Amino acid sequence: MQINWLTVAAQIVNFLVLVWFLQRFLYGPIIRAIKQRESRIEKRLADARAQRDDAEEEAERFKQKQADLDARVDEVIDNARREARDLRRDSKLKIEKEAEHRRAALRERIEAESEDALQDIRKRAAASTFNVIRDTLRDFAGGDLSEELADRFTRYLADLPKDDRDRLAKAALEAEKTAHVYCAPDLSSTTRAKLTRAIHQTIAKELEVTYASDPDLLLGLRLDIAGQTVDWSVKQHLDRLETEVREALTNAFPFRQQKDAA
Amino acid sequence: MQITPDQWILYEWRGLALNATVAFTWLVMAILTLGSWAITRRLSEGETVSRWQVALEVIVTMIRDQIDQVGAKDPHRYLPFIGTLFLFVATANLLMIIPGYSPPTGSLSTTAALALCVLVAVPFFAILQRGVGGYLKSYIQPNIIMLPFNIISELSRTLALAVRLYGNVMSGTIIAGILISVAPLFFPVLMQLLGLLTGMIQAYIFAILAMVYIAAATRAERQVSEPESQQQGE
């Protein structure tokens, strides 16, 4: 049970040497290796984190892009719909306009045709009326048609209302004091004298009366004193007939009625 | 039979005797150093690590964690000293199973040398941590009357450290020797196994106690100042 102090000293030295050896060959390298590995792992984790962040960022960007694309698609579809709607409206308007145009053209043609027909009817009516009247008057009078016309006109003048006669007289006195008488057919001189006398009696004595033939009247007489006229002729009757026939035709053609209404 | 390997002289040269204690210590040192060198020569810092390196890393980190658990601030500062204490004692004890080997830790000279190292290391680390004044002040805590008792406790625990290790290892050897003469066939094997266990435990106890002493010396001031700071905090 003794302590060998020399051995103790040797063991202390041995121990300290061993401490140095192990520090040199064991603890130092091992701790270093562990630290380096840890730092490497740390670095890898950091890298992985960075990569994950990048990936998330990328995903976010793609999502944004997708949303933009969706929005654009919606916009394009909306535009297309709007354009289609406009196009439809425009073409509808165009078609309506064209239809209206054609309808108007058709109506015009119908009117022109009805006008022609009216004209035709009028001519025929006039001709036949003229014939009928002439035949009738001839049969009825049996004599000179113009003389009978003059008699009738004389009576017509005498039967004129007082106001009309006064107006005629006033116009005759103020103007050139000439009365023009247009007749169809032409009057004989005796008939003319008789008519002149009648005019002097009924309107004014100092009037100068001139006579002229006017085939437009067809049959009858027209007295013209300074723009004031007294018409007693088949033409007048025909004009009235024409008016009536026109009215009848108007009622028969609805297009014309529409146009008149517009 | 020899109680201590100090008396087992292997070689003598001009009055300087090379006894078995020193020789087997050199053997242990050679095994530890060469083994460490052989393994750490090709250290891997990547993912694939050799099993030997893993073993060394486990041992080193385990020692480091133990130091950390005792409460030292910087385990890497104490790792060489405490780790070498543990590894040396453990290796010296484990080699007991080799016939003809006598553990150097069974010599009071060796354990006294280790205890003296601890005796010096405690003030060394304490002064390193707190300065000379701070360390000396810990001897008059809580007051000056305690100075002799503190000195006595410092010395007595060093003596206890040395004797504890020596007694345990030597007793194992002696018990094995006695049992071999009484029941030579089977029982000594069990005692050998028990000796391996106690050898490891002694290595652990020695290293941990050394660490506890060092930790107590380095943080003595903190233990005193902590309640004050708490009161100030309130």
Side-chain angles (χ1 to χ4, degrees):
Chain A
M1 191 67 71
Q2 67 274 43
I3 292 178
N4 184 338
W5 290 108
L6 195 65
T7 309
V8 169
Q11 290 296 72
I12 287 173
V13 172
N14 282 341
F15 178 73
L16 294 179
V17 168
L18 183 62
V19 168
W20 185 78
F21 274 158
L22 289 189
Q23 171 61 25
R24 170 84 176 69
F25 294 115
L26 181 61
Y27 310 123
I30 291 289
I31 294 291
R32 227 172 9 247
I34 290 173
K35 272 187 179 163
Q36 271 169 6
R37 188 182 308 126
E38 277 174 357
S39 72
R40 183 177 304 208
I41 289 168
E42 189 60 38
K43 186 171 167 293
R44 286 201 176 176
L45 283 178
D47 285 355
R49 259 197 301 275
Q51 275 180 358
R52 197 190 56 200
D53 288 352
D54 283 356
E56 277 173 3
E57 208 171 292
E58 190 80 2
E60 191 59 37
R61 209 159 47 228
F62 268 113
K63 227 190 276 177
Q64 185 63 38
K65 220 170 176 179
Q66 187 66 42
D68 287 354
L69 276 179
D70 286 352
R72 274 249 304 278
V73 165
D74 286 352
E75 195 186 315
V76 166
I77 287 175
D78 279 356
N79 279 345
R81 279 209 185 112
R82 206 160 37 236
E83 276 172 17
R85 205 162 51 226
D86 289 355
L87 195 67
R88 200 166 56 205
R89 203 182 49 212
D90 286 354
S91 46
K92 196 175 159 193
L93 278 176
K94 214 162 97 183
I95 289 168
E96 276 177 356
K97 207 183 272 176
E98 201 182 315
E100 182 62 33
H101 192 68
R102 282 189 185 179
R103 210 151 47 207
L106 194 64
R107 198 156 54 211
E108 268 173 24
R109 214 170 73 198
I110 288 168
E111 272 172 19
E113 279 175 6
S114 69
E115 193 72 33
D116 290 351
L118 188 67
Q119 201 67 26
D120 194 34
I121 288 167
R122 200 184 75 163
K123 278 179 184 164
R124 282 165 193 256
S128 50
T129 307
F130 176 77
N131 286 336
V132 166
I133 289 170
R134 171 172 282 181
D135 290 350
T136 308
L137 285 176
R138 188 175 291 135
D139 291 348
F140 178 69
D144 191 2
L145 186 59
S146 55
E147 199 161 341
E148 187 63 28
L149 272 173
D151 283 351
R152 274 282 180 159
F153 190 66
T154 308
R155 254 178 283 158
Y156 181 73
L157 279 178
D159 288 348
L160 273 176
K162 183 85 169 54
D163 290 349
D164 289 350
R165 268 188 298 176
D166 287 351
R167 204 166 44 179
L168 281 171
K170 198 176 166 195
L173 290 175
E174 283 174 358
E176 63 225 60
K177 298 184 180 173
T178 305
H180 302 286
V181 174
Y182 304 97
C183 57
D186 212 353
L187 299 176
S188 64
S189 55
T190 44
T191 314
R192 285 184 182 184
K194 208 191 258 179
L195 192 55
T196 305
R197 215 165 30 247
I199 291 167
H200 283 166
Q201 280 176 4
T202 46
I203 299 166
K205 285 191 171 73
E206 46 287 3
L207 272 175
E208 188 183 335
V209 181
T210 63
Y211 287 90
S213 176
D214 185 0
D216 280 351
L217 293 175
L218 298 175
L219 180 68
L221 289 161
R222 193 175 78 219
L223 178 61
D224 186 348
I225 303 170
Q228 300 283 337
T229 57
V230 176
D231 199 341
W232 187 83
S233 67
V234 172
K235 181 179 181 287
Q236 185 196 6
H237 289 292
L238 282 179
D239 285 346
R240 200 183 307 143
L241 178 66
E242 184 189 333
T243 307
E244 283 170 8
V245 169
R246 192 188 291 273
E247 276 174 10
L249 282 173
T250 302
N251 289 336
F253 289 91
F255 284 126
R256 185 177 176 124
Q257 200 173 23
Q258 271 178 12
K259 195 190 170 192
D260 290 347
Chain B
M1 69 178 287
Q2 291 166 335
I3 287 178
T4 161
D6 284 5
Q7 291 157 349
W8 181 5
I9 307 297
L10 294 173
Y11 178 76
E12 190 158 9
W13 179 71
R14 292 189 185 178
L16 282 176
L18 175 64
N19 55 32
T21 308
V22 177
F24 285 128
T25 300
W26 286 350
L27 176 69
V28 171
M29 284 168 67
I31 288 170
L32 285 175
T33 307
L34 290 176
S36 303
W37 174 75
I39 293 167
T40 58
R41 198 174 39 156
R42 293 189 301 271
L43 271 187
S44 162
E45 290 156 6
E47 281 77 25
T48 53
V49 179
S50 71
R51 58 183 71 183
W52 292 106
Q53 185 183 340
V54 170
L56 281 195
E57 283 181 9
V58 165
I59 291 167
V60 170
T61 50
M62 189 192 73
I63 296 168
R64 191 183 60 186
D65 292 348
Q66 287 294 328
I67 294 169
D68 195 40
Q69 280 175 19
V70 169
K73 259 197 242 166
D74 181 13
H76 288 273
R77 175 185 288 179
Y78 311 111
L79 178 63
F81 182 72
I82 303 295
T84 307
L85 274 180
F86 173 74
L87 288 177
F88 175 71
V89 176
T91 312
N93 290 346
L94 285 181
L95 288 177
M96 232 174 357
I97 53 168
I98 297 172
Y101 171 84
S102 171
T105 42
S107 151
L108 196 56
S109 302
T110 306
T111 56
L114 296 181
L116 281 175
C117 286
V118 174
L119 181 72
V120 174
V122 169
F124 174 77
F125 284 119
I127 289 167
L128 213 63
Q129 177 84 17
R130 303 163 50 195
V132 180
Y135 172 68
L136 291 180
K137 230 165 75 181
S138 70
Y139 279 98
I140 55 169
Q141 295 291 342
N143 54 48
I144 195 128
I145 302 166
M146 295 302 288
L147 176 63
F149 303 104
N150 278 332
I151 293 171
I152 290 169
S153 106
E154 197 80 13
L155 293 174
S156 65
R157 74 187 184 192
T158 305
L159 182 68
L161 205 58
V163 174
R164 182 188 301 111
L165 179 59
Y166 160 74
N168 274 292
V169 176
M170 183 206 66
S171 66
T173 313
I174 290 173
I175 288 170
I178 294 169
L179 283 176
I180 283 170
S181 61
V182 175
L185 193 58
F186 178 68
F187 209 60
V189 178
L190 290 179
M191 288 314 294
Q192 288 274 11
L193 288 173
L194 196 64
L196 289 178
L197 184 66
T198 52
M200 284 303 294
I201 289 170
Q202 287 311 312
Y204 177 73
I205 287 172
F206 197 96
I208 283 295
L209 280 179
M211 191 58 233
V212 167
Y213 298 155
I214 291 169
T218 51
R219 67 181 179 188
E221 177 121 355
R222 216 168 53 201
Q223 282 177 333
V224 176
S225 62
E226 263 172 5
E228 284 177 7
S229 63
Q230 279 175 0
Q231 281 169 357
Q232 282 169 357
E234 288 168 6

